[in-house]
Amino acid sequence: MNYLAPSILAADFSCLGEQVKCLERAGADYVHIDVMDGAFVPSISFGMPVIRTIRPCTGLAFDVHLMIEEPARYLKKFAECGADMVSVHAESCRHLDRTIDEVKQLGLRASVALNPATSLHVLEYVLPKLDMVLLMTVNPGFGGQKFIPGMKEKIRSLRQMAESRGLAVDIEVDGGITLENVESILEAGANVVVAGSSVFKGDIEGNVKSFLGKMGHACD
């Protein structure tokens, strides 16, 4: 099953709640929430208060991507404000295995995110614990970047790694995903697609439905 997770980093914050409702009406599967701390990545985005504010606006699952140093410090707070799944970066966790366990103990789906230059080998001993792996297909920190072509091979390699172990882990991709390249990215083995400006620029509902059509969803 393929899932669309529009990233609200590209939304209009003057009407964020209404735009989140629009995503649900259009048939999006998740709401992707990028939390940036200005340390792990250069930008600062938003945190718990924003997530808590928009939680009543939708029943969609909140896919929270923590681009922050030592995310284990804040896992409980993100769970309390409405996260359903949490991605932590392998590069920012001193004790990755322990952090994954803490995510699971909070009743959340656990995901590990990898930057483009990070090898899949860091997943060697934790992959069976994961519900999802998030592969960054741009260098994190800013929206609107172009997809790094070499990441398709990384997607293929991860899908092969999972299948060789009999694991049905989701593979999420984030960065530079457009209507023009989404089908080839799914073909490479991804099944969860994050899209920001490609969704929020122009007709949000129409853009969501166009993505879902290319992703094999039956749209009204």
Side-chain angles (χ1 to χ4, degrees), residues 16-17 19 40 50 53-54 61 66 75 92 98 106 113 119 121-122 128 131 144 152 184 194 216-217:
L16 181 57
Q19 291 200 342
F40 179 65
V50 170
T53 298
I54 62 173
L66 299 181
L75 293 175
S92 72
R98 180 189 300 165
L106 288 165
S119 171
H121 292 305
V122 302
D131 299 291
K152 286 185 185 177
S184 64
V194 177
H217 283 237

Side-chain angles (χ1 to χ4, degrees), residues 11-12 19 22-23 26 199-209:
D12 180 348
Q19 291 200 342
C22 185
L23 297 176
V199 165
F200 285 98
K201 186 176 181 179
D203 178 4
I204 295 173
E205 289 198 39
N207 291 336
V208 168
K209 290 179 180 178

